[in-house]
Amino acid sequence: MAVVLKASTSSATQKLWLHPTRDQHLFTSLSERKCRKRSVLLRTRAISGKLDLDFRDPSWKQKYQEDWGRRFSLPHITDIYDLEPRTTTFSLKKNRTPLDDGGVSSTDMRNGYVNKDDRALLKVIKYASPTSAGAECIDPDCSWVEHWVHRAGPRKEIYYEPEEVKAAIVTCGGLCPGLNDVIRQIVFTLETYGVKNIVGIPFGYRGFFEKGLKEMPLSRDVVENINLSGGSFLGVSRGGAKTSEIVDSIQARRIDMLFVIGGNGSHAGANAIHEECRKRKLKVSVVAVPKTIDNDILFMDKTFGFDTAVEEAQRAINSAYIEARSAYHGIGLVKLMGRSSGFIAMHASLSSGQIDVCLIPEVSFTLDGEHGVLQHLEHLLNAKGFCVICVAEGAGQDLLQKSNATDASGNVILSDFGVHMQQKIKKYFKDIGVPADLKYIDPTYMVRACRANASDAILCTVLGQNAVHGAFAGFSGITSGVCNTHYVYLPITEVITTPKRVNPNSRMWHRCLTSTGQPDFH
């Protein structure tokens, strides 16, 4: 959820929405800025601590960028091992050509190698004011500061002998469209490098320690057609053993590369495994691939499974629309996934064009009273005879009794807002004596168990390939993602600090409000 920060002075109070997927910022009010009577402090919250900058210091940008560079540098096996790289075995073209006129190997260009110093720009909009929609500002003047991250792809030099590598793949957490596509591409790319010993760890981290669960040999022949179905070929589970026990298993199995496909919790687990391997001075590359249909991993444009989830949600929304429109005073209520982030609900509402009210976790609302959701539904029935509501599963939790129970991954078990909303709507219209025909649809497990669509399949393909390229390049404790339309590597420590959430001041949320026409429910 975007964070509201208040900066108060004797003359004014400024309230600004700050984007959660970048650094969180704290600065003084506009009046204080204009006066410049004292230095303005910026606090940048990072995994390594806080960076305090005085904006009167001409070198504050340099200090900020140096700190950014430190935070987003990629852990490498040469941090603990004195290793010399070897020429890569990855090649797309078998026919070699001589040097071109510029002295650059045509073979290199045809094979598409990425230079180790290549970077991608994370942020491309220069905001003129903190009050601009979706503004992501560092200082009170919204100064332009470049944010560079490492470009993903195959390197000319690698740090492993492919014929000696044992690579393992594990899928963690819940199901998500595209899991099999990623597994398939990891195997394909490993074999392109020349790796022969590839195994799958069954049922998430549990496969490392549960007796009776044996690793599964993988090859191109085995995974050739697994992308044609949903689910996970390897199986999934939540939770797991202690990190030390997992690393014990990795060490006993002589695994050199571990590819972890999962969400925020699985990424945290992958980072813990990476740190334990470094502590033991093991030459193991741990590389993650971000998986969550909620699209709630920091810095990523999107995660695989999200597009498919939005597309599948259309079927539920269209069914709710037809039911509502066909009934006298019909109301369609659809609950979609989104524990802490409302991206699926927002995008599904936008794409369908059939939603009258969209409720997400990031935007508070009231159900009762003059400005509540229920009275607006009454207005919609009077105005057009029917209405359709889309809610994210994490919406309205402040209106429900909280539970301290957690699942195997440590996530708080949410109260069912969809059912609560269903009961409140029925009671409201019964109490006012207005007939209402409510249809409630929860397509949660249908959405996540299906096969990836074309868009997600492409994303899975590239993410899987880049995960292997990153491991052979010697990186560990990283994740492969897409940022600002470019494929990049990010340190896991930076993407697990907090879930990415919808910014209520973003243009996308404003577009959703324009589409639904809903008022503020306060």
Side-chain angles (χ1 to χ4, degrees):
M1 183 171 62
V3 180
V4 177
L5 297 182
K6 298 180 181 179
S8 301
T9 66
S10 57
S11 58
T13 298
Q14 181 189 9
K15 186 181 288 187
L16 294 173
W17 285 104
L18 300 180
H19 201 286
T21 63
R22 303 296 185 264
D23 299 328
Q24 297 177 17
H25 315 299
L26 177 64
F27 49 82
T28 53
S29 67
L30 289 169
S31 59
E32 199 169 83
R33 250 172 46 211
K34 293 176 182 177
C35 294
R36 305 291 187 192
K37 290 182 178 179
R38 61 179 178 85
S39 63
V40 182
L41 288 180
L42 164 71
R43 298 189 186 277
T44 310
R45 293 186 179 90
I47 197 70
S48 58
K50 295 181 179 180
L51 174 69
D52 290 340
L53 296 175
D54 183 346
F55 291 123
R56 297 182 303 180
D57 181 356
S59 63
W60 75 264
K61 284 187 182 180
Q62 179 183 348
K63 292 179 180 178
Y64 178 86
Q65 288 179 315
E66 287 174 352
D67 179 70
W68 178 273
R70 284 190 295 269
R71 288 168 49 198
F72 284 82
S73 63
L74 303 179
H76 199 274
I77 58 174
T78 55
D79 296 340
I80 57 173
Y81 274 97
D82 185 14
L83 298 173
E84 290 296 326
R86 57 152 292 175
T87 303
T88 185
T89 55
F90 179 82
S91 176
L92 298 176
K93 302 294 182 181
K94 302 304 179 183
N95 296 324
R96 300 294 190 250
T97 56
L99 294 181
D100 61 15
D101 294 337
V104 178
S105 170
S106 295
T107 301
D108 292 349
M109 296 179 66
R110 289 157 65 89
N111 277 308
Y113 298 132
V114 171
N115 191 289
K116 65 179 181 179
D117 294 322
D118 284 357
R119 299 292 185 271
L121 196 59
L122 195 63
K123 175 180 170 183
V124 294
I125 299 178
K126 184 184 184 304
Y127 296 96
S129 166
T131 59
S132 296
E136 305 167 10
C137 299
I138 297 171
D139 69 328
D141 295 320
C142 268
S143 300
W144 171 256
V145 180
E146 295 175 344
H147 296 80
W148 297 102
V149 291
H150 291 254
R151 186 185 179 199
R155 268 61 171 170
K156 287 181 61 177
E157 296 180 327
I158 59 177
Y159 288 82
Y160 287 91
E161 294 291 341
E163 64 274 12
E164 299 175 1
V165 165
K166 180 178 181 180
I169 307 170
V170 61
T171 54
C172 306
L175 291 181
C176 177
L179 281 169
N180 287 334
D181 299 74
V182 178
I183 295 169
R184 180 174 183 264
Q185 282 301 320
I186 290 176
V187 173
F188 283 8
T189 311
L190 284 167
E191 289 196 349
T192 301
Y193 273 93
V195 179
K196 302 298 183 183
N197 193 356
I198 310 169
V199 300
I201 305 299
F203 301 105
Y205 290 134
R206 182 179 299 276
F208 281 111
F209 64 89
E210 187 85 9
K211 291 182 179 179
L213 295 180
K214 297 181 180 180
E215 60 187 34
M216 305 165 58
L218 301 177
S219 65
R220 176 179 285 267
D221 290 340
V222 173
V223 302
E224 183 72 45
N225 297 314
I226 63 173
N227 62 309
L228 301 181
S229 61
S232 169
F233 179 72
L234 300 178
V236 295
S237 70
R238 296 189 182 276
K242 295 180 179 179
T243 302
S244 59
E245 295 178 0
I246 294 175
V247 177
D248 287 343
S249 179
I250 290 172
Q251 195 167 1
R253 297 167 190 249
R254 298 183 181 275
I255 292 171
D256 303 290
M257 295 179 180
L258 176 63
F259 300 97
V260 180
I261 309 170
N264 279 303
S266 303
H267 272 61
N271 189 65
I273 294 170
H274 156 74
E275 293 292 348
E276 182 66 19
C277 287
R278 287 171 71 92
K279 181 180 177 181
R280 300 188 189 187
K281 298 190 182 302
L282 301 178
K283 187 187 175 186
V284 178
S285 283
V286 181
V287 179
V289 179
K291 172 230 70 175
T292 165
I293 63 174
D294 289 354
N295 197 36
D296 61 351
I297 295 185
L298 281 180
F299 302 109
M300 310 289 182
D301 289 356
K302 63 179 178 179
T303 51
F304 77 82
F306 173 69
D307 278 354
T308 305
V310 171
E311 186 174 303
E312 287 297 311
Q314 302 305 298
R315 300 186 185 187
I317 290 174
N318 189 55
S319 296
Y321 174 83
I322 292 172
E323 288 283 354
R325 187 180 180 89
S326 301
Y328 177 69
H329 282 183
I331 300 175
L333 174 61
V334 180
K335 186 185 79 171
L336 300 177
M337 296 187 77
R339 289 182 54 85
S340 57
S341 303
F343 289 102
I344 295 180
M346 177 176 69
H347 282 257
S349 297
L350 263 172
S351 57
S352 73
Q354 298 170 325
I355 297 298
D356 298 293
V357 176
C358 177
L359 303 177
I360 61 175
E362 295 86 346
V363 180
S364 62
F365 54 86
T366 58
L367 294 179
D368 303 302
E370 181 181 358
H371 302 293
V373 175
L374 296 174
Q375 190 165 106
H376 182 62
L377 298 184
E378 180 185 357
H379 163 74
L380 290 171
L381 292 188
N382 291 332
K384 65 175 192 175
F386 72 98
C387 62
V388 184
I389 310 134
C390 178
V391 301
E393 63 176 320
Q397 292 299 306
D398 57 320
L399 305 177
L400 305 174
Q401 184 176 357
K402 293 185 178 180
S403 168
N404 294 323
T406 59
D407 61 20
S409 297
N411 300 313
V412 174
I413 297 176
L414 301 178
S415 300
D416 195 329
F417 180 71
V419 172
H420 176 75
M421 188 76 176
Q422 178 188 27
Q423 295 170 347
K424 290 285 289 186
I425 291 173
K426 287 182 176 180
K427 183 177 185 304
Y428 177 81
F429 284 100
K430 180 180 179 180
D431 290 347
I432 63 174
V434 174
D437 189 348
L438 175 65
K439 298 296 189 298
Y440 175 50
I441 300 176
D442 180 356
T444 295
Y445 295 105
M446 295 175 62
V447 166
R448 74 177 199 169
C450 62
R451 174 187 173 186
N453 67 7
S455 174
D456 272 329
I458 294 171
L459 179 59
C460 291
T461 296
V462 181
L463 294 180
Q465 291 177 0
N466 283 338
V468 177
H469 295 320
F472 267 101
F475 298 123
S476 181
I478 67 166
T479 188
S480 169
V482 57
C483 302
N484 188 24
T485 73
H486 297 289
Y487 292 95
V488 302
Y489 296 132
L490 298 169
I492 294 178
T493 51
E494 289 299 324
V495 302
I496 61 175
T497 54
T498 184
K500 181 177 74 172
R501 295 182 170 93
V502 174
N503 179 1
N505 191 42
S506 67
R507 287 294 301 127
M508 191 60 72
W509 178 244
H510 294 170
R511 294 175 186 123
C512 186
L513 295 179
T514 301
S515 175
T516 63
Q518 69 192 63
D520 291 330
F521 297 117
H522 294 289

